[in-house]
C-alpha cells in the first residue's frame, strides 16, 4: 500500500513537471522577448527548491539535462549559453540586453539543475548533452568566471555549476 502511494506520488510529480515544461517550451518558441524571458524564469523557478518541492525540482533538472524528449528545449537553452553573438549581429542595444537576460537565466537554471543532480551523483552521465558548438561545456563555465569583474552574478552561477560537477 505504501509503495503504491509512492509510485502514484512520483507519477503525479512527473505529470505536473511535464505539463509545466510544455508551457515553458511554448513560451520559448514565441518570437517575443517577454514570452521567452517568462519561459526562462519559469524554468528557473521549476529548479529552485525554495519555489517548488525538491522532487519537482529534481525531476525538472533530470528531464532537461538528460531526457531525449526535451532535447529541443535543451538546444534552445544552448542558444543563450555561449558564445555571445557579435554586437553587429544585434539590431540595437535592446536585443543585446535581451540576450544578456536570457544568458543569465540559463546560467541560473544550469546551476540549480546541476546542484540538484549532484545530490544524486548524476552529473557526469549528462554533461555530454551540454556540448555547445565546438566549445567544451566546462570551458564555457570557466570563461564565465573570468568575467567576474564585469558580471559577478553570472560568474557566481558558473561557479555553482562547476562546484556541482566536481562534487558528483
Amino acid at each position: 500500500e505504501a509503495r503504491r502511494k509512492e509510485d502514484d506520488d512520483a507519477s503525479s510529480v512527473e505529470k505536473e513537471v511535464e505539463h509545466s515544461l510544455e508551457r515553458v517550451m511554448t513560451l520559448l518558441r514565441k518570437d517575443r522577448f517577454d514570452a521567452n524571458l517568462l519561459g526562462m524564469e519559469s524554468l528557473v523557478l521549476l529548479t529552485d527548491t525554495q519555489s517548488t518541492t525538491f522532487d519537482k525540482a529534481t525531476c525538472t533538472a533530470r528531464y532537461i539535462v538528460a531526457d531525449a524528449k526535451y532535447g529541443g528545449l535543451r538546444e534552445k537553452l544552448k542558444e543563450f549559453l555561449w558564445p555571445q553573438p557579435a554586437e553587429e549581429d544585434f539590431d540595437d542595444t535592446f536585443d543585446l540586453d535581451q540576450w544578456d537576460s536570457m544568458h543569465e537565466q540559463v546560467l541560473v537554471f544550469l546551476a540549480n539543475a546541476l546542484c540538484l543532480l549532484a545530490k544524486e551523483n548524476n552529473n557526469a552521465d549528462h554533461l555530454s548533452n551540454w556540448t555547445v558548438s565546438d566549445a567544451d561545456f566546462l570551458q564555457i563555465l570557466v570563461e564565465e568566471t573570468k568575467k567576474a569583474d564585469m558580471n559577478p552574478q553570472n560568474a557566481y552561477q558558473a561557479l555553482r555549476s562547476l562546484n556541482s560537477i566536481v562534487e558528483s
Side-chain angles (χ1 to χ4, degrees), residues 57-164:
T58 303
C59 183
T60 301
R62 197 176 316 111
Y63 280 178
I64 302 301
V65 172
D67 196 311
K69 178 179 178 180
Y70 296 100
L73 179 53
R74 198 167 33 251
E75 290 304 312
K76 183 70 172 175
L77 298 179
K78 287 179 190 180
E79 290 177 22
F80 296 104
L81 186 57
W82 191 78
Q84 176 179 348
E87 283 193 36
E88 58 267 9
D89 293 340
F90 292 102
D91 293 334
D92 56 29
T93 54
F94 182 70
D95 288 342
L96 180 60
D97 290 343
Q98 291 176 357
W99 190 92
D100 287 340
S101 295
M102 293 295 284
H103 178 72
E104 181 178 322
Q105 293 298 313
V106 170
L107 288 171
V108 174
F109 160 75
L110 280 175
N112 288 350
L114 294 176
C115 285
L116 289 162
L117 294 176
K119 293 177 181 167
E120 296 184 330
N121 294 318
N122 277 338
N123 281 343
D125 299 336
H126 306 311
L127 285 181
S128 61
N129 292 326
W130 285 94
T131 301
V132 181
S133 310
D134 296 326
D136 179 63
F137 177 65
L138 296 176
Q139 178 186 353
I140 293 167
L141 296 174
V142 170
E143 290 299 318
E144 199 65 51
T145 65
K146 290 179 182 178
K147 299 184 263 180
D149 58 332
M150 295 185 312
N151 196 329
Q153 175 66 16
N154 287 358
Y156 168 72
Q157 298 302 336
L159 285 171
R160 284 182 61 215
S161 293
L162 288 167
N163 186 50
S164 296

Side-chain angles (χ1 to χ4, degrees), residues 12-29 35-36 38-48 52 55-74 76-77 109 113 130:
S12 173
V13 165
E14 290 174 359
K15 285 179 183 175
E16 287 180 42
V17 167
E18 287 174 359
H19 181 71
S20 295
L21 290 177
E22 290 298 323
R23 284 184 282 173
V24 166
M25 288 190 300
T26 299
L27 289 168
L28 289 174
R29 283 187 197 117
N36 293 165
L38 181 59
M40 273 309 307
E41 289 172 347
S42 297
L43 191 55
V44 167
L45 291 173
L46 286 168
T47 56
D48 183 350
T52 190
D55 290 341
K56 286 181 187 176
T58 303
C59 183
T60 301
R62 197 176 316 111
Y63 280 178
I64 302 301
V65 172
D67 196 311
K69 178 179 178 180
Y70 296 100
L73 179 53
R74 198 167 33 251
K76 183 70 172 175
L77 298 179
F109 160 75
W130 285 94

